[in-house]
Amino acid sequence: LSLWNGLFPSILLCTNPAIQYTMFDTLKGALLQGGEKEEGALPQQQSGRKLSMWEAFLFGLVSKFFATIVTYPLIRCKVLLMVSSPEAFREEE
């Protein structure tokens, strides 16, 4: 069945949100990092500042763009596997 052909790339695509959220938190931490660091405190607790709406939008845009670029070959592979005919996987004798 061609339904199952793209299963493995689909499972690997679960890394897309992980990449996106990790990059978002990294960008946020870099911006909000204060002069004094408290041991074990989160970045927003260190400086007392929060992201503005536009900063959050920009960081989300950049992180989603990066995650999609990194996982695009898997997206392409999944689509090609799912739309291919079953004859494409048969060996010629």
Side-chain angles (χ1 to χ4, degrees):
L1 290 170
S2 63
L3 173 68
W4 301 105
N5 287 343
L7 182 64
F8 185 67
S10 294
I11 291 171
L12 291 178
L13 283 172
C14 293
T15 59
N16 187 305
I19 295 168
Q20 178 186 352
Y21 295 136
T22 302
M23 184 157 184
F24 182 87
D25 284 340
T26 302
L27 291 171
K28 182 175 79 171
L31 179 72
L32 298 179
Q33 203 168 31
E36 294 183 26
K37 293 184 180 180
E38 298 174 20
E39 186 85 22
L42 297 174
Q44 61 267 29
Q45 294 172 337
Q46 292 173 1
S47 67
R49 182 175 176 270
K50 293 185 177 181
L51 288 179
S52 72
M53 178 183 68
W54 290 108
E55 289 169 337
F57 175 77
L58 182 64
F59 288 169
L61 178 80
V62 169
S63 61
K64 183 62 177 179
F65 177 76
F66 180 76
T68 303
I69 292 299
V70 168
T71 58
Y72 183 76
L74 287 172
I75 296 168
R76 180 82 173 136
C77 178
K78 180 188 87 158
V79 170
L80 290 176
L81 284 171
M82 290 180 80
V83 299
S84 63
S85 64
E87 291 82 28
F89 295 102
R90 294 190 185 159
E91 294 182 20
E92 294 181 24
E93 294 181 17

